[in-house]
Amino acid sequence: MAAFAGGDDIGAVVAEIGHYSTKIGWAGDDAPRSYFPSNVAVLRQGDKSRRIQGVCHDFYTHPIQRKTFDDGNWETCNPIDPTSGLMYDPDSTQGADGFDLLRDFLHHGYSTALQQAKIEEHPFLMIERSYNTPAIRQQTLECLMEEMNVPAAFIAKDAVLMCYGCGRTTATVIDIGHSGTTVTPVFEGFAETKGIRRSPTGVHAMDRLILERLDALYKTKQPAAHDGIRPLYQVRPVQQYVDPEGQSLPRPQRRPSIHFAARMELARECREFGAGAAVNITDTAFHAPSKSFTLPDGTVLDVPSVDRFAAADLMLGYSPATVELREMHLEDCRSNLKKIIEKSQYDDNDDDEEEKSEKDDKFSEEAAVGLSKRRSKQPATQKQKQLSSRLFSNRQLNRACTKHLQTLLDDQLTASPLASMVCDAAYRCDREQQAALLGNVVLGGGGSCLGPTEQAVPDYLRDQIESLIHAHTPGWRVRLLTPSLSERAILSWLGGSILGSLGNFHEMWISKQEYEEWGSAIVNRKCP
Amino acid sequence: MSTGVVVADEVTSTFNAFKLGQGEKLKYIIYKIEDKKTIVTEKTGEKGKTYDDFCADLPDDDCRYGLIDLDFTTDDGRPTSKLVLITWNPDSGSIRNKMLYSGSKEALKTALNGVGIHINATDHSELDLEASVLPICRKFA
């Protein structure tokens, strides 16, 4: 059992690594102390090996290599794969980007915000997606226990934590995230996997739409600009780029992925500045004023109201143009997902002999139930040597995830507007659960922080859901719960913070001894 | 997913007495979580009290659990009385408390076995006897 006196004595650390941002902080706090974007610039070791050599967290405003300004080899990288939304890298057979970056992010978070805290001293609560596969969960636990040496760990589902954060044990949880929107029915504290709906229309899609509109507007003002709006690093004054001898250095040349990421930052600023949801987009669009948005190079763009509300309409709206756009995103996502699944199966055929010799498949069903004889890994000394050049074998992980990705493709991906997704998710659950599930709907995630007022989006959504339900069952009431705007984006982290600080929670942790005894499959038994 | 909060022994013994009608004649019992660790009895209401007294006993900005012996008539006209567990989780309470009480509900439910009707109330309108509570009771009775 866990060897800790209580949650209050030794603080636990709660971390959530999302597609957009990573939040790390102490359990019991009201906000994560370390909050930084997950999109980082990385330098890979070379063309052959994709191992990560260097990571830079702030590449929008400063050049990455301060001395030489040679940014040409850096590209963006994200621990979360945007198509599946999980910490999963289908391409690399040599190492998993996600887990390398996990290590780096944790160190970054600990050193910048949690002063003098050592990873080995504090229990670690990790927040995962509700549709996370058991294999990735096991891999994460392995990485935490063996590489980071945490004394105890627990992996909790974000949908359940969001639900608890609003004071319910049963609700349909809407998470408007960066890579996509997920609707999870949570019943009595357990996420009902058969009802999970996922749509690729999330904040990323909204930002892309805004970027297109901004580019179009920019072209009307500056017809000479071919690339559209220019991000911050391209418009810095020339005096900055002078080396010690006084020679002027060329402007940093960056790869397209970094350029794109920097432009998306601008789109994000614009969205946070003025986007909103309109109840009836055709009418209100004419009455709402346009807002002016200043670009880094000084141009002032007047964003008309139609464009302002277009972002939210992408998520919530029913008009044919919006539906078409969503279907397009869905098709993109579907084809990407198919490629990922094919790739994982291709790898499988490739190394059949090598894999057959591996008798104990650590991701198999037996391991998950505890029947497999596989125990934890090598003795300590060997581990130390291997630590520096550890490579995760991705093939087993890929194979184990294929089934879940296939379910994602067939069942869960959808392009419906948000209200339909909610009803869909609830109707897939048992009949007795439906009334309770639809009666409580929790809204959270970064994308739900749309204006213009705090309750605009919730009220609009609630009306939509009610009108959908009343077609079948006129009596059911819908309650939409959501915290204030400042807490919506970090609602799942807040739930985790509360869970990690509860007095008796220390019985639920997976301690190092348990991990040594049972292997990584214990996570599937202890973390629901 | 539970939170690890335990139920105090006196809760189980008082509940058994309440169920069988022995000992002190009670109409309702209100529980709270002490020190974020144990569920204990906060106050009780004697037989003479009414449902409105029970509602008045629930604080406006903090969460509680309430177990009440409710008398009502079923759909076919039979008078009956049932034990109802009400989780009082007002929206004005802190997120921490709401989460604590929601997560620990399971532990309390197992301790109070035999209670068939569970109600979640988030404001006084949901506590309204005629509008919200009784229809649910009638469905389960």
Side-chain angles (χ1 to χ4, degrees):
Chain A
M1 283 296 124
F4 298 102
D8 293 336
D9 300 357
I10 301 180
V13 174
V14 183
E16 178 175 7
I17 298 191
H19 190 230
Y20 174 65
S21 66
T22 302
K23 313 164 227 342
I24 302 180
W26 294 113
D29 274 357
D30 285 329
R33 294 233 183 137
S34 169
Y35 181 94
F36 54 88
S38 290
N39 224 7
V40 289
V42 296
L43 183 67
R44 301 210 188 256
Q45 237 168 24
D47 285 323
K48 293 249 179 77
S49 155
R50 291 190 68 211
R51 297 308 305 290
I52 293 175
Q53 213 177 30
V55 178
C56 172
H57 286 266
D58 176 21
F59 58 93
Y60 299 121
T61 46
H62 311 281
I64 301 173
Q65 308 267 56
R66 303 286 173 108
K67 303 228 176 87
T68 59
F69 297 125
D70 169 28
D71 295 342
N73 292 325
W74 294 73
E75 51 181 30
T76 53
C77 185
N78 202 302
I80 308 282
D81 170 50
T83 326
S84 56
L86 302 171
M87 201 180 285
Y88 176 74
D89 192 348
D91 280 330
S92 85
T93 48
Q94 280 190 330
D97 277 346
F99 299 104
D100 284 342
L101 282 180
L102 172 70
R103 214 179 325 143
D104 176 81
F105 280 10
L106 287 185
H107 280 129
H108 182 88
Y110 273 79
S111 56
T112 51
L114 312 174
Q115 302 87 342
Q116 271 130 40
K118 294 212 189 64
I119 298 184
E120 295 88 21
E121 288 172 12
H122 300 274
F124 192 79
L125 176 66
M126 178 111 187
I127 303 180
E128 59 163 4
R129 299 281 156 269
S130 52
Y131 50 86
N132 203 10
T133 65
I136 296 181
R137 209 177 298 154
Q138 281 179 255
Q139 188 77 299
T140 319
L141 187 68
E142 229 181 79
C143 178
L144 286 175
M145 285 288 184
E146 300 205 358
E147 293 211 1
M148 325 274 339
N149 285 318
V150 299
F154 191 82
I155 305 187
K157 289 202 154 72
D158 62 351
V160 176
L161 293 176
M162 277 188 175
C163 190
Y164 278 170
C166 287
R168 300 276 191 284
T169 45
T170 303
T172 316
V173 177
I174 306 175
D175 179 6
I176 306 185
H178 199 244
S179 53
T181 310
T182 313
V183 177
T184 316
V186 175
F187 192 72
E188 298 294 329
F190 291 100
E192 297 277 340
T193 38
K194 59 189 171 203
I196 296 182
R197 309 295 289 147
R198 203 169 139 65
S199 158
T201 318
V203 172
H204 190 81
M206 284 203 269
D207 278 349
R208 274 219 313 257
L209 182 68
I210 294 183
L211 194 61
E212 278 169 36
R213 301 281 173 109
L214 284 182
D215 277 346
L217 283 171
Y218 190 61
K219 285 212 173 86
T220 57
K221 287 230 166 173
Q222 309 242 10
H226 299 288
D227 298 337
I229 58 180
R230 292 187 301 159
L232 186 59
Y233 71 85
Q234 272 192 336
V235 292
R236 290 209 96 131
V238 192
Q239 298 94 306
Q240 294 224 345
Y241 299 120
V242 172
D243 76 3
E245 277 99 60
Q247 300 286 324
S248 69
L249 293 166
R251 289 266 172 92
Q253 293 302 310
R254 297 183 171 191
R255 289 218 175 149
S257 55
I258 295 196
H259 187 73
F260 181 65
R263 292 195 337 129
M264 291 291 279
E265 261 301 292
L266 278 185
R268 184 187 64 80
E269 262 179 49
C270 181
R271 173 178 53 87
E272 287 179 2
F273 179 61
V279 174
N280 193 330
I281 197 163
T282 42
D283 288 349
T284 343
F286 292 117
H287 300 298
S290 63
K291 275 203 173 180
S292 24
F293 177 61
T294 319
L295 290 179
D297 61 356
T299 336
V300 175
L301 293 179
D302 264 327
V303 185
S305 43
V306 185
D307 288 340
R308 276 177 64 203
F309 295 126
D313 188 52
L314 186 66
M315 294 270 320
L316 307 164
Y318 287 91
S319 69
T322 323
V323 172
E324 231 184 88
L325 211 55
R326 273 203 296 259
E327 291 285 331
M328 210 171 68
H329 286 149
L330 183 69
E331 276 317 305
D332 278 340
C333 190
R334 275 233 163 100
S335 52
N336 283 341
L337 206 52
K338 279 198 191 117
K339 277 191 218 146
I340 293 179
I341 295 178
E342 267 171 31
K343 212 171 264 199
S344 57
Q345 288 172 337
Y346 174 76
D347 283 341
D348 185 28
N349 295 329
D350 218 12
D351 307 88
D352 248 337
E353 283 134 40
E354 204 181 291
E355 296 308 310
K356 277 194 180 123
S357 63
E358 186 93 33
K359 280 194 203 137
D360 287 312
D361 184 2
K362 62 181 170 176
F363 297 128
S364 68
E365 296 295 313
E366 291 89 34
V369 187
L371 293 176
S372 150
K373 294 206 185 65
R374 180 177 242 280
R375 291 291 177 260
S376 180
K377 329 308 176 251
Q378 317 98 359
T381 47
Q382 219 180 341
K383 235 192 282 183
Q384 298 295 330
K385 285 185 213 156
Q386 285 198 2
L387 223 48
S388 50
S389 57
R390 187 181 182 91
L391 297 171
F392 285 101
S393 154
N394 240 28
R395 270 172 237 112
Q396 274 188 322
L397 185 68
N398 283 0
R399 238 184 331 161
C401 288
T402 313
K403 190 176 61 161
H404 296 268
L405 290 178
Q406 193 68 43
T407 327
L408 185 65
L409 181 67
D410 298 331
D411 274 344
Q412 296 175 345
L413 266 190
T414 171
S416 351
L418 202 48
S420 316
M421 269 171 77
V422 171
C423 299
D424 221 359
Y427 285 143
R428 277 164 188 247
C429 298
D430 295 336
R431 188 95 180 94
E432 304 89 42
Q433 300 172 340
Q434 281 169 18
L437 284 175
L438 286 169
N440 301 296
V441 179
V442 170
L443 181 64
S448 58
C449 305
L450 294 171
T453 64
E454 203 169 284
Q455 288 296 321
V457 173
D459 286 340
Y460 182 43
L461 201 52
R462 204 191 66 83
D463 291 331
Q464 273 192 331
I465 299 179
E466 256 193 16
S467 54
L468 277 179
I469 298 180
H470 287 170
H472 296 267
T473 44
W476 286 356
R477 270 171 56 223
V478 175
R479 256 186 98 101
L480 208 102
L481 310 148
T482 183
S484 60
L485 272 180
S486 50
E487 291 174 347
R488 249 175 247 180
I490 51 171
L491 187 58
S492 47
W493 189 91
L494 276 181
S497 157
I498 298 172
L499 191 63
S501 62
L502 291 178
N504 283 16
F505 193 64
H506 63 262
E507 290 158 3
M508 317 272 293
W509 298 106
I510 301 176
S511 67
K512 197 114 197 223
Q513 294 97 300
E514 284 178 340
Y515 173 73
E516 302 278 320
E517 198 190 314
W518 294 100
S520 60
I522 191 179
V523 73
N524 290 322
R525 278 189 293 153
K526 266 203 132 181
C527 305
Chain B
M1 186 165 73
S2 67
T3 49
V5 166
V6 292
V7 179
D9 290 331
E10 50 107 3
V11 165
T12 344
S13 47
T14 340
F15 171 64
N16 283 328
F18 185 39
K19 207 166 42 162
L20 301 171
Q22 300 161 346
E24 205 184 311
K25 298 279 184 220
L26 292 172
K27 174 82 172 152
Y28 60 81
I29 311 179
I30 295 187
Y31 303 107
K32 72 180 237 184
I33 297 184
E34 197 153 283
D35 284 339
K36 302 186 197 168
K37 287 207 177 87
T38 1
I39 302 183
V40 296
T41 317
E42 190 199 11
K43 44 176 111 148
T44 59
E46 309 84 44
K47 212 58 174 158
K49 301 253 183 148
T50 64
Y51 185 76
D52 292 322
D53 288 325
F54 171 67
C55 292
D57 263 343
L58 296 171
D60 271 333
D61 53 358
D62 201 7
C63 314
R64 294 281 186 272
Y65 301 111
L67 181 68
I68 183 166
D69 189 6
L70 217 52
D71 302 311
F72 58 97
T73 50
T74 60
D75 285 330
D76 17 330
R78 293 175 290 125
T80 178
S81 100
K82 290 262 182 236
L83 291 176
V84 181
L85 176 66
I86 298 184
T87 313
W88 169 241
N89 244 337
D91 286 328
S92 48
S94 69
I95 291 190
R96 172 179 304 274
N97 265 341
K98 284 195 277 193
M99 187 164 156
L100 188 60
Y101 278 76
S102 317
S104 321
K105 195 165 63 161
E106 288 301 308
L108 188 61
K109 270 196 213 171
T110 22
L112 308 176
N113 64 15
V115 177
I117 309 177
H118 306 289
I119 291 183
N120 226 346
T122 52
D123 59 24
H124 282 285
S125 70
E126 286 198 9
L127 277 183
D128 187 276
L129 191 63
E130 289 304 323
S132 334
V133 176
L134 283 188
I136 305 183
C137 293
R138 291 202 181 104
K139 218 169 22 155
F140 283 103

